[in-house]
Amino acid sequence: MSDLDDRLLAAHTRGDRAALVTLYCEAAETAQEDEARYFYLTHAYVNALEGDHPQAPALRARLVAAGRESA
C-alpha cells in the first residue's frame, strides 16, 4: 500500500479534499479487514463533509448500512 500511502500524504500536504475522498475510498476498497475498511471510509466521509463533496451522502449511507454511523 506504499504508493497509496504516498498519494494520501501528498493530498494531505496539498489540502486536496476531493483527492482525499477518492484515495480514502480506494484504501477502503483494498482493506483486508472491516476495521480498516470503515476507518478509511470514515476518513473519506469526513473529508467529503469538509469539502462539500457530492459523495458525502453516499458515504454516510454506507457507514449507516454497516452500523458505523447512526441513522
Side-chain angles (χ1 to χ4, degrees):
M1 197 157 129
S2 167
D3 175 58
L4 181 54
D5 289 336
D6 291 343
R7 290 184 288 143
L8 277 164
L9 288 173
H12 273 287
T13 299
R14 292 189 313 272
D16 187 344
R17 296 224 183 267
L20 288 168
V21 171
T22 300
L23 292 168
Y24 277 121
C25 285
E26 181 181 335
E29 295 304 319
T30 61
Q32 300 296 313
E33 298 176 9
D34 281 347
E35 291 300 315
R37 180 173 300 109
Y38 295 111
F39 171 85
Y40 291 127
L41 278 178
T42 299
H43 282 277
Y45 178 51
V46 167
N47 280 284
L49 288 173
E50 290 179 351
D52 198 28
H53 194 282
Q55 262 190 295
L59 289 166
R60 182 174 187 276
R62 286 179 69 182
L63 291 167
V64 169
R68 304 295 174 136
E69 170 76 344
S70 57

